Amino acid sequence: AAKNAGRNRCQHYTPQMSADAEQRVVLERQLRQALENDEITAHYQPQVDAATGKLVGAEALARWHHPGMGMVPPSRFIPIAEECGLIVPLGDQILEKSLRQLASWRRDGFELPSISVNLSTRQLERQDFPQHVARLLQRYQLQPCDLELEITESVIMEAENAVNILAELRALGIRLSIDDFGTGYSSLSYLRQLPVQVLKIDRSFILGIGKGGEAIVHAILALSSNLGLETVAEGVEEPYQLEFLRAAGCHVIQGFLYSRPLHEEAFASDWRERLHTPAHP
Ligand code: C2E
Ligand code: MG
Ligand code: MG
Ligand code: MG
């Protein structure tokens, strides 16, 4: 029952509502408008090979520049979009923009290997989602391996039929990763059955490095390696975290140490040389 809470609950104003609830209703209306006005864009954060220091990919992260309110963070608008179903058109827009951007960079000779896009429960519940993704890849003349889809443990647990949809996406050749790994409630034995290739270690564990949390990071890396998964560390900000992760065999680093998520132009100008030339933070 809990998993259905919050669905189809686009609220309408009533005088009894709290100021917070009222603000959500306002935000929801503005978000609907923002999608129509194309105010939602993607910023891109580099993913760097821990061993070589070369650029291996980028994660697309939704950004909303509201004309009046300025930058609204995803932590504010993604939960609202999820509650009222706007996450489906929003997610579609981010996915399409990301693929179009990747294709455009490649046309310009910037051969970014792949792009990662976050998925929500509602998107994964669409039975035709794999076909939809396949059509988009075709539209931009990209290969399935050019795309990675990030799914949290809770998205997998909540989405109806998630495992079958993931298997279809996997069969198409799309890479799948578990985002925020370690913060959800999926069991470890369940992990083995999922058709994922990548595990993203949540930032909370990276924060534990140097503060007594090293054993957990080692354990996650060992688990990942035993399951044959690639690992990405999220939220790496400090050189000592990078050193630890590199020595422990983590494959890919993402975090402010290398770069914040960037506008497409800044991303291309800062990172195009770093496909071949190692980047040092
Ligand atoms: P996420 O997918 O786990 O994305 C990583 C978040 O960590 C991003 O926050 C990124 O800016 C932030 N981050 C990266 N490196 C560092 C670091 O070194 N230090 C710190 N403190 N933070 C770092 P952002 O962009 O605010 O997004 C937050 C969350 O919103 C994302 O977490 C994701 O769950 C959700 N989100 C963002 N865009 C989308 C989207 O297009 N679709 C869906 N469904 N969710 C999205
Ligand atoms: Mg993510
Ligand atoms: Mg994450
Ligand atoms: Mg997250």
Side-chain angles (χ1 to χ4, degrees):
K3 75 178 191 181
N4 288 320
R7 292 197 185 174
N8 302 315
R9 211 158 42 81
C10 278
Q11 297 181 343
H12 298 285
Y13 179 79
T14 65
Q16 296 86 352
M17 270 183 191
S18 68
D20 186 55
E22 193 183 326
Q23 213 199 338
R24 286 175 78 92
V25 175
V26 171
L27 216 53
E28 182 196 314
R29 193 188 311 122
Q30 288 172 327
L31 187 57
R32 202 176 293 279
Q33 200 73 56
L35 283 169
E36 277 165 27
N37 298 347
D38 208 25
E39 286 168 23
I40 313 281
T41 58
H43 279 195
Y44 302 92
Q45 187 177 35
Q47 299 178 322
V48 176
D49 185 299
T52 66
K54 290 178 187 173
L55 179 66
V56 291
E59 177 174 3
L61 292 154
R63 292 292 178 264
W64 178 12
H65 296 275
H66 185 272
M69 296 184 291
M71 180 86 126
V72 184
S75 58
R76 190 88 182 86
F77 70 83
I78 295 284
I80 292 176
E82 280 174 340
E83 260 181 41
C84 67
L86 284 176
I87 193 67
V88 173
L90 191 157
D92 275 355
Q93 281 195 12
I94 297 294
L95 177 62
E96 175 146 21
K97 281 175 198 231
S98 303
L99 294 177
R100 191 196 301 140
Q101 187 60 63
L102 180 63
S104 154
W105 278 330
R106 291 198 178 162
R107 266 197 314 277
D108 292 346
F110 176 25
E111 295 285 339
L112 183 67
S114 87
I115 199 103
S116 301
V117 177
N118 294 285
L119 273 196
S120 279
T121 308
R122 294 278 187 97
Q123 291 176 278
L124 200 61
E125 279 179 337
R126 283 171 52 187
Q127 294 311 302
D128 67 341
F129 186 68
Q131 290 72 29
H132 174 67
V133 178
R135 268 196 305 273
L136 283 177
L137 287 166
Q138 220 165 26
R139 181 174 308 161
Y140 295 102
Q141 295 178 307
L142 294 167
Q143 300 300 313
C145 61
D146 295 331
L147 176 65
E148 184 173 305
L149 294 172
E150 302 193 359
I151 307 117
T152 62
E153 293 159 88
S154 51
V155 164
I156 296 167
M157 302 301 282
E158 283 165 20
E160 258 2 291
N161 202 25
V163 177
N164 291 327
I165 301 286
L166 292 179
E168 273 185 62
L169 290 165
R170 181 61 205 135
L172 287 172
I174 292 159
R175 285 158 58 84
L176 302 173
S177 66
I178 299 198
D179 203 354
D180 303 347
F181 181 77
T183 62
Y185 48 85
S186 67
S187 71
L188 293 179
S189 59
Y190 191 61
L191 183 62
R192 200 168 50 86
Q193 299 166 27
L194 292 174
V196 299
Q197 290 76 58
V198 184
L199 187 156
K200 297 190 76 176
I201 308 174
D202 190 68
R203 186 172 87 91
S204 56
F205 300 108
I206 306 309
L207 285 170
I209 297 170
K211 298 181 178 64
E214 296 81 4
I216 295 185
V217 178
H218 275 306
I220 295 174
L221 288 168
L223 173 75
S224 188
S225 158
N226 288 332
L227 292 172
L229 304 178
E230 184 179 299
T231 39
V232 179
E234 297 194 277
V236 177
E237 295 184 4
E238 305 292 341
Y240 66 82
Q241 295 168 339
L242 172 64
E243 285 321 310
F244 175 89
L245 290 161
R246 194 183 270 155
C250 180
H251 304 107
V252 175
I253 306 292
Q254 187 180 341
F256 295 172
L257 179 63
Y258 281 105
S259 173
R260 288 180 178 266
L262 298 169
H263 183 270
E264 65 228 31
E265 278 149 30
F267 183 85
S269 69
D270 286 9
W271 286 86
R272 68 187 308 147
E273 298 309 321
R274 297 179 182 190
L275 280 177
H276 312 290
T277 315
H280 297 291

